[in-house]
Amino acid sequence: MNTVDLHQKITELKKQKNAVILAHYYQVSEIQEVADYVGDSLGLSQKAAETDAEIIVFAGVHFMAETAKILNPNKKVLLPDLMAGCSLADSCPPDAFQRLVEAHPDHLVITYVNCSAEVKALSDIICTSSNAEKIVNSVPKDVPIIFAPDKNLGKYIQKVTGRKMLLWDGACIVHEAFSMDKLLKIYKENPGSRIIAHPESESHILETATYVGSTAGMIDYVKKYPLEKFIVATEAGILHKMQQEVPEAILIPAPVDEDNTCACSECAFMKMNTLQKLYDCLLNENPQIEISEEIRKKAILPIERMLELSK
């Protein structure tokens, strides 16, 4: 089936089944085009919390679909490919994280949404890159903080808030792939361009950036300067929506150390979802995300705290 036919059939199935498709900015463009909402982790969590659809198809990675299921225990939550994981979530095994938390009982635990349901269940508040600064600032200064799992985001939040936190040693392979030498070379070849970066990137990349923020924040920043040139240091899937929003801007993906077909950073897990898999999962209502009620009840509390603080 070609893309046009798949789009039509997916649209028909959505109506028949009262389904909603939520897609992350890093999904392939064909999936973004058929989604009801395309956004970053915070926006997707908010949409998942408020939807009245009976079926949620989450075009993203496993932890995102888990978050939707935690918020919607009585709805079917589908993920086109169950193997669509996350290197950052994998860097924080629940057993090891539990040992850290138990060793620091006086610390408040703030966990980035890019983690498993089990790790969320061990947390006090969840955050995203959009709201991490606000959430850290909401904690009284005399309360020590554990921040997990992304050390790069943690270092950046420490810098902008002035709060010293106990950081988990985790990272996203996609955001650690950028080449400083190649980035500076492209910047010299494009005088006057602005470097914009996601805070999961390493500190030396962030220090070159005119703007640091979440995927949604990066798009909003580019909208302010619609005729300019940007070097974009995050997963290349964002360029599709960014170009739609700001068609006249010149967008250049930040280069990576390893040579690849796009000369950019792509998340292999995000790209495991395809339009065909999306159609198949909606047609068959499978694979479904399942979470134990014990874990779900613990994990929903820090998510709800985040959503409340993000209003």
Side-chain angles (χ1 to χ4, degrees):
M1 232 185 302
N2 63 34
T3 299
V4 174
D5 290 340
L6 281 170
H7 270 199
Q8 184 179 343
K9 289 188 174 295
I10 289 167
T11 302
E12 291 168 358
L13 281 173
K14 279 195 300 183
K15 291 177 183 174
Q16 290 171 17
K17 297 179 180 243
N18 186 19
V20 64
I21 297 173
L22 306 179
H24 193 274
Y25 288 124
Y26 298 164
Q27 291 294 287
V28 294
S29 57
E30 295 84 6
I31 288 179
Q32 292 190 42
E33 289 297 322
V34 79
D36 297 287
Y37 176 80
V38 180
D40 64 357
S41 293
L42 176 59
L44 291 166
S45 297
Q46 290 168 328
K47 288 294 179 184
E50 67 189 34
T51 184
D52 57 2
E54 293 173 32
I55 296 173
I56 299 171
V57 183
F58 216 112
V61 291
H62 198 273
F63 79 79
M64 296 177 176
E66 276 189 335
T67 303
K69 185 63 176 178
I70 290 165
L71 290 164
N72 296 278
N74 299 319
K75 294 178 180 177
K76 285 184 180 177
V77 177
L78 312 177
L79 184 66
D81 192 322
L82 276 183
M83 299 306 290
C86 170
S87 61
L88 178 54
D90 290 346
S91 74
C92 189
D95 291 348
F97 188 61
Q98 183 172 2
R99 289 194 292 273
L100 177 73
V101 171
E102 289 175 349
H104 299 84
D106 58 329
H107 283 55
L108 184 106
V109 182
I110 299 177
T111 308
Y112 188 32
V113 70
N114 299 40
C115 63
S116 66
E118 290 79 8
V119 168
K120 287 182 175 71
L122 294 164
S123 308
D124 294 303
I125 310 177
I126 301 302
C127 73
T128 71
S129 52
S130 293
N131 60 24
E133 181 181 351
K134 180 179 182 180
I135 284 173
V136 167
N137 279 330
S138 75
V139 179
K141 287 188 166 50
D142 59 343
V143 177
I145 294 171
I146 290 173
F147 189 93
D150 192 287
K151 63 183 178 183
N152 293 320
L153 176 60
K155 287 175 186 174
Y156 174 73
I157 296 300
Q158 283 189 144
K159 182 180 176 182
V160 297
T161 63
R163 292 291 291 268
K164 181 157 179 58
M165 303 184 290
L166 178 58
L167 303 181
W168 181 265
D169 188 19
C172 164
I173 58 172
V174 173
H175 288 98
E176 287 205 321
F178 297 114
S179 166
M180 189 67 175
D181 291 342
K182 291 181 181 178
L183 177 64
L184 293 176
K185 182 175 181 289
I186 283 186
Y187 183 65
K188 286 178 182 176
E189 292 169 353
N190 294 275
S193 59
R194 297 171 186 255
I195 297 172
I196 58 175
H198 193 281
E200 284 182 43
S201 304
E202 293 175 291
S203 298
H204 59 272
I205 298 293
L206 300 183
E207 285 165 7
T208 70
T210 308
Y211 174 81
V212 177
S214 69
T215 43
M218 293 167 85
I219 290 174
D220 287 340
Y221 181 79
V222 172
K223 284 181 180 177
K224 294 177 183 176
Y225 309 97
L227 302 178
E228 296 200 18
K229 187 182 293 187
F230 299 88
I231 301 170
V232 184
T234 191
E235 210 273 357
I238 194 177
L239 298 175
H240 177 70
K241 178 61 73 173
M242 195 175 275
Q243 199 75 75
Q244 280 185 332
E245 297 283 345
V246 194
E248 294 185 27
I250 297 171
L251 307 176
I252 305 166
V256 292
D257 282 313
E258 298 293 326
D259 291 327
N260 60 24
T261 53
C262 72
C264 63
S265 194
E266 287 193 319
C267 176
F269 290 118
M270 283 283 187
K271 300 313 193 246
M272 290 178 77
N273 297 316
T274 65
L275 197 62
Q276 183 66 53
K277 289 178 185 176
L278 178 60
Y279 168 71
D280 291 341
C281 90
L282 184 52
L283 178 67
N284 301 315
E285 299 183 16
N286 197 55
Q288 289 190 42
I289 298 293
E290 301 291 349
I291 299 173
S292 76
E293 189 61 9
E294 179 186 5
I295 293 293
R296 193 196 72 81
K297 282 182 176 178
K298 291 177 182 176
I300 196 170
L301 298 175
I303 296 172
E304 287 179 335
R305 289 184 191 118
M306 173 190 76
L307 293 172
E308 185 62 32
L309 282 166
S310 300
K311 285 181 179 175

